[in-house]
């Protein structure tokens, strides 16, 4: 940890000093202080993450696992050390359960094709919820269409909460798998995943938790969660893009066939047949994103050094402040008001298209996401074509919220 520019870690302290660790946030945007409010799409990177990836390429990069020379050995050690970092970050029982992938999307597809598809028969069911990201919808459509199974969707309540009675009612004798988002990227809803896994396991149903929006913002314990699989992407946990994590119970991984074939996922190859490597290498065909994985570990250690409880408390404070400021607007409607939600606010303003709002806010130095946020079925559920979404990271502060509100005043003056 000493390599990172850590600031004094006082319980409950403001995280404002950490903003200086992020180079892109030091640049002005249209002659204004940049208010970056799109961390739910992808977080900015601290200098230590940028340095780690550059350091790999400048000092010791080489392909991993098979080289006997020093550079390869050093790269291999740095790469493999990240499994232990991830294991500690999510409290996994065994670092062999940590599979490196390109992101949460690939992780879900891997589980869908390698674990779930072989078990499905015509008439079987896969259960998801109505608030899922497209990455947790389309893979299940592909496997159910290919096998004659059915995709079942648990409903969402008017406040954005998951309808737990509706979910219970949809668990049937034909349910073979459940995949559910931990935190909604659009609503901020935090789902009761421990309860869901208990319900599922009581009937022998395995569960995948999409942690793309929980891993960056709160402590994660996959053992307490009771999940069978858990996924997240590095680019949301202050690491680089093109790197991600699939955690799965070792017994599941050992029983799963490879998702892709190629180098580094085999023990022996003959034309008559091949013998596959043990997990996790079985699922890591080809040359991986070596420097990206190494930098992924640095991003996770950075979060640990800041303190995930502090990050959660800080973002909750910003959420409360933003809700207070936006409550002054009679014509503004927040989509997703579930109790205990995460640091995401999606909203619409009567008579003004979200894309127009996003363009004007950008001119004011405020970066927000506009659109359907890869949750088109959820947009249909709330009868809106799109929303403006402001999402918080550890580097945000009240000045960013104030800039958002001031930008919306400019929107109203021009378009209202």
């Amino acid at each position: 940890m000493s390599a990172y520019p850590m600031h004094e870690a006082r319980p409950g302290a403001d995280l404002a000093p950490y903003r200086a660790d992020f180079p892109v946030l030091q640049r002005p945007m249209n002659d204004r202080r940049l208010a970056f409010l799109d961390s739910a799409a992808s977080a900015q990177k601290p200098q230590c993450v940028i340095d780690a990836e550059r350091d790999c390429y400048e000092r010791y990069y080489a392909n991993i696992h098979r080289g006997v020379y020093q550079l390869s050995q050093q790269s291999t050690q740095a790469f493999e050390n990240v499994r232990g970092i991830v294991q500690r970050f999510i409290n996994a029982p065994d670092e062999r359960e940590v599979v490196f992938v390109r992101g949460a999307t690939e992780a879900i597809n891997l589980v869908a094709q390698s674990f779930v598809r072989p078990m499905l028969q015509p008439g079987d069911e896969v259960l998801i919820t109505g608030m899922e990201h497209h990455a947790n919808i389309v893979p299940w459509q592909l496997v159910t269409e290919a096998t004659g199974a059915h995709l079942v969707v648990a409903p969402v309540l008017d406040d954005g909460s998951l309808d737990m009675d509706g979910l219970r009612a949809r668990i049937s004798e034909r349910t073979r798998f459940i995949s559910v988002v931990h935190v909604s990227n659009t609503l901020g809803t935090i789902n009761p995943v421990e309860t869901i896994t208990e319900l599922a396991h009581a009937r022998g149903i395995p569960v995948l938790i999409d942690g793309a929006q929980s891993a960056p913002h709160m402590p994660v314990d996959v053992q307490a969660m009771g999940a069978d699989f858990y996924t997240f992407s590095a680019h949301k946990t202050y690491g680089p893009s093109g790197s991600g994590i699939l955690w799965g119970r070792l017994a599941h991984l050992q029983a799963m066939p490879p998702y892709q074939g190629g180098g580094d996922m085999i023990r022996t190859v003959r034309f008559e047949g091949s013998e596959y490597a043990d997990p996790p290498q079985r699922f890591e065909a080809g040359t991986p994103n070596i420097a990206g994985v190494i930098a992924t570990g640095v991003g996770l250690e950075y979060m640990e050094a800041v303190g995930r409880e502090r990050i959660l408390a800080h973002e909750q404070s910003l959420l409360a402040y933003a809700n207070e400021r936006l409550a002054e607007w009679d014509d503004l409607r927040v989509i997703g008001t579930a109790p205990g939600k995460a640091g995401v606010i999606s909203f619409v303003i009567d008579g003004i298209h979200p894309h127009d709002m996003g363009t004007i806010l950008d001119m004011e130095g405020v970066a927000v996401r506009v659109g359907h946020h890869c949750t088109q079925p959820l947009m249909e559920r709330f009868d809106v074509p799109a929303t403006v979404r402001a999402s918080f990271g550890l580097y945000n502060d009240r000045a960013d919220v104030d800039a958002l509100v001031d930008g919306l005043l400019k929107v109203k003056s021009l378009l209202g």
Side-chain angles (χ1 to χ4, degrees), residues 37-43 185 212-213 217 235-236 344 389 391-392:
L37 296 171
D38 195 25
S39 294
S42 196
N185 71 306
Q213 298 293 338
H217 304 293
H235 70 97
K236 298 186 197 309
V344 173
R389 183 187 69 190
S391 54
F392 303 120

Side-chain angles (χ1 to χ4, degrees), residues 9 27 122 386:
R27 63 165 292 189

Side-chain angles (χ1 to χ4, degrees), residues 73-341:
Q73 293 294 307
Q74 188 174 352
S75 288
T76 298
Q77 182 176 357
F79 180 91
E80 289 297 332
N81 283 347
V82 180
R83 295 193 205 275
I85 294 171
V86 174
Q87 178 192 5
R88 294 186 291 274
F89 188 80
I90 61 175
N91 192 33
D94 192 321
E95 68 177 41
R96 292 176 297 169
E97 299 172 327
V98 175
V99 180
F100 296 130
V101 290
R102 290 177 299 167
T105 297
E106 184 179 20
I108 295 169
N109 276 274
L110 192 164
V111 174
Q113 294 293 337
S114 187
F115 183 75
V116 179
R117 182 170 178 167
M119 74 169 66
L120 293 180
Q121 300 292 328
D124 286 345
E125 297 173 350
V126 174
L127 177 61
I128 61 173
T129 79
M131 67 179 74
E132 301 303 325
H133 188 281
H134 295 168
N136 204 27
I137 300 174
V138 179
W140 306 115
Q141 291 175 332
L142 291 172
V143 298
T144 53
E145 289 169 2
T147 59
H150 303 292
L151 186 63
V152 179
V153 183
V156 176
L157 299 174
D158 288 344
D159 69 350
S161 299
L162 179 61
D163 183 345
M164 288 299 295
D165 289 336
L167 182 136
R168 288 185 182 91
R170 284 161 176 78
I171 300 176
S172 74
E173 294 181 356
R174 303 299 295 178
T175 305
R176 297 292 177 261
F177 195 78
I178 297 175
S179 189
V180 60
V181 67
H182 193 177
V183 176
S184 168
N185 71 306
T186 297
L187 306 171
T189 303
I190 302 175
N191 283 321
V193 291
E194 294 87 353
T195 301
I196 293 170
T197 58
E198 287 178 8
L199 288 170
H201 289 168
R203 304 182 72 158
I205 304 167
V207 180
L208 180 146
I209 304 299
D210 175 2
Q213 298 293 338
S214 57
H217 304 293
M218 61 187 66
V220 172
D221 185 335
V222 295
Q223 296 188 68
M225 197 180 296
D228 294 273
F229 300 95
Y230 181 86
T231 72
F232 67 95
S233 296
H235 70 97
K236 298 186 197 309
T237 52
Y238 305 95
S241 58
S243 178
I245 303 299
L246 168 65
W247 170 81
R249 294 179 185 269
L250 188 58
H252 292 330
L253 296 177
Q254 289 171 333
M256 290 163 58
Y259 173 54
Q260 295 176 319
D264 216 27
M265 50 73 66
I266 45 80
R267 281 205 184 94
T268 60
V269 174
R270 295 183 176 87
F271 289 121
E272 296 77 18
S274 298
E275 183 181 359
Y276 307 126
D278 291 330
Q281 282 78 17
R282 180 182 301 174
F283 306 104
E284 296 175 356
T287 298
N289 182 5
I290 298 167
V293 169
I294 293 168
T296 294
V298 174
L300 300 181
E301 288 188 316
Y302 180 84
M303 288 186 63
E304 292 278 43
V306 175
R308 281 184 283 170
E309 291 285 1
R310 293 179 69 207
I311 293 171
L312 177 60
H314 175 71
E315 293 174 357
Q316 288 293 307
S317 175
L318 288 178
L319 176 65
Y321 180 63
N323 280 326
E324 178 184 328
R325 293 296 316 269
L326 294 177
E328 304 168 3
W329 298 60
D330 293 335
D331 55 354
L332 184 149
R333 177 165 65 105
V334 174
I335 307 297
T337 57
K341 61 178 279 186

